[in-house]
Amino acid sequence: MQSLSQFLASGSTSESLQEVLSVTTQTCIEISNALKKGSLAGILGMAGNENVQGEEQKKLDVISNNMLKSALLASPVVRAIASEEEDDIVPAHTDGEYLIAFDPLDGSSNIDINSMVGTIFSIYHQTGTAPATEADFLQPGKNQAAAGYVLYGPSTMLVFTTGNGVSMFTLDVDKGEFVQTQPTVEVPKDTQEFAINMSNQRFWAAPMQSYVTDLISGKEGPREKNFNMRWVAAMVGDVHRILCRGGIFIYPWDNKDPSKPGKLRLMYEANPMGMLIEQAGGKAFTHTDRILDIQPEGIHQRVAVVLGAANEVDTCLSYK
Ligand code: F6P
Ligand code: MN
């Protein structure tokens, strides 16, 4: 079995991209270790377990953000970062080559119940002679050089793509390194499993209401088959399930708050997951457009998301 560094060195990934991936994933191993300590992490502090009692306890999403931020900013190939936990982009090295957008701890409300969370990352290759600005980040997801996530579940897994398919790695906790456990990933075109937060049903647009009504009508309904439902409440967990065994994941537009076209963030949730899903043969759309084609207007922009099994995404979007 190949380790992550062997895998990267044997492919066509440039050395500078290998460096970004290596810094990101090494830090995720440290985040994984912090998560294992649970609430203790914020009490004990992260620096070699030194006791920082007396300091205010930090939440794990803030700790994760600070770990990724300081590791990435220290790397000379990094031009700038953007994070769910930072209002603005943070420039690093003007002569760096990569912009990294990340959600340091997706699904962080799951922390309180010791359930699945993850780190999602999106990497763009971009150079310039002046310090990076937000405008440099505002590129459609199809320009991503790499995208992926680290899932902190019963085992810690890394799933990523550099545009040549998707592969999965599992953390070997004894060696402290990721080892490739699945070289190819394919999302079946059809499915009988969906993921959506049903409690928002009354706020959805009419076509989404009709689509889900037909799903739950099962064998007796127009779809003539029974559907199962799952909801991890962390996008990273739901997308991981889809990459493992198929399905469709939806966080639709709703009219709860007319100023928000969806809940999920384009730059560090929808785009990286969209690239992974497409690279595994699935589809990733808003209720109207291919996610990877969207021209972003802001680093924290929200979008509606319908992704997973190609034929099921088509069926969902065919409701008008
Ligand atoms: O990051 C936003 C997020 O936590 C996603 O990971 C997840 O899919 C979604 O929100 C959960 O939403 P809800 O609170 O409606 O279940
Ligand atoms: Mn998130």
Side-chain angles (χ1 to χ4, degrees):
M1 283 194 293
Q2 274 188 316
S3 69
L4 174 64
S5 42
Q6 286 167 337
F7 172 83
L8 289 173
S10 66
S12 55
T13 311
S14 69
E15 273 184 25
S16 52
L17 183 54
Q18 288 185 42
E19 154 82 6
V20 181
L21 287 166
S22 148
V23 170
T24 305
T25 56
Q26 262 319 113
T27 310
C28 288
I29 294 176
E30 288 167 30
I31 294 174
S32 176
N33 293 335
L35 288 168
K36 287 204 169 60
K37 291 186 187 142
S39 309
L40 290 173
I43 297 166
L44 299 174
M46 289 314 303
N49 275 354
E50 79 196 17
N51 194 325
V52 290
Q53 260 173 9
E55 278 189 15
E56 197 190 333
Q57 182 175 341
K58 289 205 176 84
K59 285 190 150 188
L60 281 158
D61 44 8
V62 176
I63 291 175
S64 307
N65 181 58
N66 290 343
M67 288 165 78
L68 277 165
K69 183 179 172 184
S70 59
L72 287 166
L73 293 184
S75 169
V77 297
V78 173
R79 192 161 140 71
I81 60 154
S83 163
E84 174 163 20
E85 297 287 333
E86 303 281 335
D87 289 342
D88 302 311
I89 72 140
V90 185
H93 307 274
T94 302
D95 58 351
E97 290 177 54
Y98 290 96
L99 305 175
I100 300 105
F102 56 87
D103 181 350
L105 211 54
D106 176 59
S108 49
S109 66
N110 275 0
I111 288 284
D112 303 338
I113 56 164
N114 197 23
S115 190
M116 256 198 275
V117 288
T119 297
I120 309 174
F121 56 89
S122 161
I123 302 173
Y124 289 88
H125 185 256
Q126 199 261 348
T127 53
T129 48
T133 63
E134 177 169 352
D136 293 322
F137 274 88
L138 303 182
Q139 307 182 38
K142 62 186 170 197
N143 292 359
Q144 289 169 109
Y149 61 82
V150 174
L151 177 74
Y152 311 110
S155 53
T156 296
M157 292 192 70
L158 163 69
V159 180
F160 79 102
T161 179
T162 53
N164 287 309
V166 178
S167 45
M168 292 191 178
F169 295 74
T170 303
L171 179 63
D172 178 336
V173 285
D174 298 325
K175 292 191 180 142
E177 66 178 13
F178 283 107
V179 175
Q180 191 179 38
T181 42
Q182 203 178 318
T184 56
V185 177
E186 207 170 314
V187 176
K189 302 252 174 288
D190 296 293
T191 186
Q192 290 185 233
E193 194 162 78
F194 69 102
I196 195 166
N197 184 344
M198 288 291 293
S199 69
N200 294 323
Q201 186 170 20
R202 66 194 183 286
F203 301 113
W204 303 334
M208 191 55 71
Q209 303 250 9
S210 312
Y211 168 70
V212 174
T213 300
D214 288 354
L215 294 186
I216 59 180
S217 308
K219 255 197 169 130
E220 293 74 33
R223 300 297 305 275
E224 297 175 339
K225 57 181 183 179
N226 293 328
F227 280 81
N228 185 30
M229 197 199 88
R230 285 288 181 268
W231 187 248
V232 176
M235 185 192 200
V236 69
D238 282 305
V239 169
H240 186 68
R241 185 187 58 257
I242 289 173
L243 290 170
C244 290
R245 70 170 188 214
I248 185 167
F249 167 87
I250 307 173
Y251 213 111
W253 175 90
D254 66 42
N255 65 8
K256 251 202 235 171
D257 178 350
S259 70
K260 291 182 188 167
K263 180 176 187 189
L264 300 176
R265 312 297 185 133
L266 174 62
M267 300 291 300
Y268 40 81
E269 292 181 321
N271 270 340
M273 295 312 202
M275 183 175 181
L276 286 169
I277 289 287
E278 284 198 4
Q279 284 291 319
K283 288 192 174 179
F285 276 69
T286 65
H287 51 302
T288 48
D289 301 300
R290 179 183 176 227
I291 286 172
L292 299 188
D293 283 334
I294 298 173
Q295 172 58 51
E297 284 162 11
I299 48 169
H300 299 296
Q301 180 176 345
R302 297 174 193 265
V303 286
V305 171
V306 180
L307 61 74
N311 292 342
E312 195 56 39
V313 171
D314 286 345
T315 303
C316 176
L317 300 182
S318 72
Y319 283 69
K320 300 292 173 208

